[in-house]
Each structure stands twice: as C-alpha cells, then as structure tokens.
Amino acid sequence: MVNKITVVGAGNVGATTAQRIAEKELARHVILVDIQEGIPQGKGLDQQQSAPIEGFDSRVTGTNGYDETTGSEVVVITAGIARKPGMSRDDLLNTNAGIVKQVSESVRSTSPNAIVIVVSNPLDVMSYVAKEVTGFPRERVLGMAGVLDTARYRAFIAEALDVSVRDIQAMVLGGHGDTMVPLISYTSVSGIPVTQLMAREKLDAIVERTRTGGAEIVKHLKTGSAYYAPSAAAVQMCEAIVRDQRRILPCAAWLEGEYGMSGLFLGVPCILGRNGLERIIEVELTDSERNALEKSADAVREPMSAINL
Ligand SMILES: NC(=O)c1ccc[n+]([C@@H]2O[C@H](COP(=O)([O-])OP(=O)(O)OC[C@H]3O[C@@H](n4cnc5c(N)ncnc54)[C@H](O)[C@@H]3O)[C@@H](O)[C@H]2O)c1
C-alpha cells in the first residue's frame, strides 16, 4: 500500500470511493475532503468504524482543508455537482470548472507529486482543467470514464448472453458522453468474437443502452447520478497505479499525436502503473470506428474551448 490517497468531494461518488480504497487497503491513510462542514468528518469516522468488521488497517480521515492531504501519492477528484434528470454532462461545465480549478490549485501546492484521477463531469473537459491548473505532466493526470462505460457494456452483454461478467472483454473509447465509442470489433467472450454469439441488432441495442447508461440511472434516481459503478471504476484505476499492475484500461488521457489527435483528453487504451500513465496503446480501428472517435473528439473540443482558465 502507498502512504496516502486523497479523495476530494465527499458526496456519493467520493465517499464510496474512499470506502472502497480503504477496504482494499490501497493506502495507509485515506483522506476525504469536502467544503461542507461535518460531512467528510462524519463519513470518514463512520467508515473508520467499519474497519474492525471489514478488517482493514487503512485509516480514513475527513477534513475541510488540505493540510492533512499533504504529500498524497494519488488524488481522486470527485468534487462538483452531479446531473439531474434532463441535464447533459455539459450542463455542469461552468460550475464544475470553477470547482475543479480551485481543487487543482490546492492539490498542486500540497501534493505536487501526486497522480490525479479526475471523476467530475464533464469528464474530458474537467481532466483538461486539472492538467492545466496543476501543470502536472500527462502521465499524472487521467480521467475516469472508459472503465465505467466499459463495465456497463460488459454487464449488459453478460446479462444478454447469461454468462459470467468475468468472461466479457471489451473496450469503450472516446469522450464520456453520448458520442462514446464501444468497439464491437474488440468485444469478445472468453476469446470468442461477440458477433458469433449475438445478433447484430441486439448488440446495437446494447451499444445504445451503454451510451445512455448514465442517463438511465439519473432518470431512476431523480436527485443525483450513479456512484456504485463509478466509484468501483475509479478505484480500479487507483489499484492499477498503486500496485503497479500495468493493467490496460480505457482512460481519458491527454493525446499528443495518438490516434492522429493532439491537445485534448479522450478515452483511449492506457497501461496504468506506478508512474500513472505508462503508455497509450494505439489499436487498429475500422473506418466507421475512426469516424466515430473523431466525432467524439469534436464533442469534447467544443465545451473545452468555452472554458476560461
Ligand atoms: N466520470 C464519470 O464517469 C462519473 C460518474 C459519476 C459521477 N461523475 C461526476 O462526479 C461528480 C460527483 O458526483 P456525486 O454523485 O458524488 O455528486 P455529489 O453531489 O453527491 O457530491 C459532490 C460533492 O462535491 C462537494 N464539493 C463541491 N465543491 C467542492 C469543492 N470546491 N471542494 C471540495 N468538495 C466540493 C460537494 O459538497 C459534494 O459533497 C459529478 O460531477 C458527477 O457528474 C462522473
């Protein structure tokens, strides 16, 4: 385990992320930060008291400041407002940009060597805000979206085929929005191409449900958005980093020529290890997948250009 992981934002995603990090003992100290007085302290204490039952030795501490976070190896940013029914992720743009900017300034001064995982939406643009404001190299700023989108896609396929979720290998690339790109050509079930097991219309319906998977949950919840799967996804990225697993996970990474694009965050296959982003893998894409990825990049560039840092 590393010494310290900080989770900023003690709301639904942040608190669940802290709990999962502690239960997996990824860090000796898990620090939960929020601007709301009492919330991170109360949730941190509550989680700490689950330690004897769950049997973990990570210590969870809640705070409203950054002193306790000093020298964190990993910082997960979940601060910001979440979607309500009828809202798109881009509707959160200006409010969350201000919040992520303020958080990133604090992270830069207290944990200058941290690896930052951004969760706040709109994800690809907030990752850009975090990278610009911290000034950290691209290896140390990553966005969480692809692991979640892929998990939704894998869960739907496993359910449709009535097989184990463990046996579904897949990858969803692109921006974290309706333009995301589930790669059917790289979807397999224990090595068997999914197209051999499922009719194309059924697969297309699953792809569509994946694209709107977040909105489906917002519609049910009405007062907030998903957090069990999002926190699990953020923690899988944390684990790959702190345990130096070198896992290949779809993450939002800053592109410098990969896939013929530069100067934006976009979901691409990444090797994650102790240095954060170890390498971006460029896979071959069909013409339609490449077009879809470029369309997705356009959908990220537009709100990005509206940001004033
Ligand atoms: N990337 C993804 O796939 C994904 C998935 C789910 C949610 N999200 C996003 O994550 C964010 C959090 O979602 P949630 O459901 O936990 O929302 P939430 O409302 O439950 O929690 C957000 C928390 O952030 C806190 N906060 C606000 N400003 C802050 C600041 N300056 N410093 C510290 N804390 C601050 C709030 O007090 C609140 O407790 C949202 O933007 C949501 O859209 C992203």
Side-chain angles (χ1 to χ4, degrees):
M1 65 168 78
V2 296
N3 185 49
K4 204 183 280 182
I5 298 179
T6 288
V7 180
V8 187
N12 285 336
V13 178
T16 318
T17 299
Q19 178 190 6
R20 292 186 193 281
I21 290 171
E23 287 179 355
K24 282 180 178 280
E25 294 188 317
L26 297 185
R28 167 67 57 202
H29 299 280
V30 183
I31 315 294
L32 190 55
V33 183
D34 202 289
I35 46 165
Q36 290 191 66
E37 273 179 41
I39 298 293
Q41 292 85 346
K43 290 189 180 181
L45 193 57
D46 191 8
Q47 290 184 11
Q48 188 56 53
Q49 292 166 1
S50 72
I53 305 167
E54 288 296 327
F56 61 81
D57 284 317
S58 295
R59 302 242 168 82
V60 189
T61 309
T63 172
N64 298 121
Y66 283 82
D67 287 353
E68 294 87 342
T69 72
T70 300
S72 295
E73 280 100 331
V74 179
V75 176
V76 185
I77 302 179
T78 77
I81 53 167
R83 282 197 286 171
K84 300 217 165 55
M87 285 173 91
S88 79
R89 293 178 179 92
D90 284 350
D91 290 337
L92 312 173
L93 189 67
N94 289 321
T95 308
N96 284 356
I99 292 172
V100 172
K101 183 177 180 206
Q102 181 258 314
V103 171
S104 301
E105 283 163 353
S106 303
V107 172
R108 180 184 58 198
S109 56
T110 47
S111 298
N113 299 315
I115 295 166
V116 176
I117 298 173
V118 179
V119 178
S120 312
N121 271 321
L123 188 272
D124 306 276
V125 188
M126 292 309 111
S127 303
Y128 161 69
V129 172
K131 183 178 178 298
E132 283 297 295
V133 176
T134 58
F136 291 177
R138 74 165 180 166
E139 287 71 23
R140 293 200 282 118
V141 184
L142 290 152
M144 186 292 289
V147 177
L148 170 65
D149 297 330
T150 304
R152 286 178 173 149
Y153 180 56
R154 290 170 61 201
F156 295 147
I157 290 173
E159 192 186 1
L161 293 175
D162 196 18
V163 299
S164 169
V165 287
R166 291 179 188 82
D167 289 330
I168 316 292
Q169 294 86 34
M171 196 116 54
V172 177
L173 304 187
H176 186 48
D178 302 344
T179 60
M180 67 180 75
V181 188
L183 296 180
I184 291 177
S185 57
Y186 288 93
T187 307
S188 62
V189 183
S190 227
I192 307 161
V194 70
T195 44
Q196 289 185 23
L197 301 174
M198 205 187 286
R200 186 63 196 223
E201 306 81 69
K202 204 165 178 185
L203 204 46
D204 286 343
I206 286 178
V207 164
E208 193 45 38
R209 192 174 175 199
T210 302
R211 286 209 176 101
T212 55
E216 184 179 351
I217 292 172
V218 172
K219 214 169 145 200
H220 284 300
L221 294 179
K222 296 186 182 68
T223 54
S225 57
Y227 55 101
Y228 293 113
S231 57
V235 174
Q236 186 173 58
M237 290 174 64
C238 270
E239 184 171 20
I241 291 167
V242 305
R243 298 206 204 282
D244 197 22
Q245 290 172 328
R246 304 189 70 87
R247 293 209 56 184
I248 301 174
L249 299 173
C251 306
W254 182 254
L255 299 185
E256 291 174 351
E258 293 87 0
Y259 294 92
M261 296 182 230
S262 289
L264 80 162
F265 274 87
L266 200 65
V268 290
C270 297
I271 300 180
L272 296 193
R274 196 59 195 89
N275 299 309
L277 172 67
E278 302 283 350
R279 191 154 62 86
I280 293 174
I281 296 180
E282 287 192 74
V283 296
E284 281 178 24
L285 298 176
T286 63
D287 285 347
S288 80
E289 286 166 346
R290 181 163 292 278
N291 286 342
L293 197 65
E294 273 160 19
K295 214 174 121 205
S296 192
D298 289 341
V300 173
R301 282 191 195 99
E302 200 190 310
M304 210 177 123
S305 63
I307 289 281
N308 238 334
L309 287 177

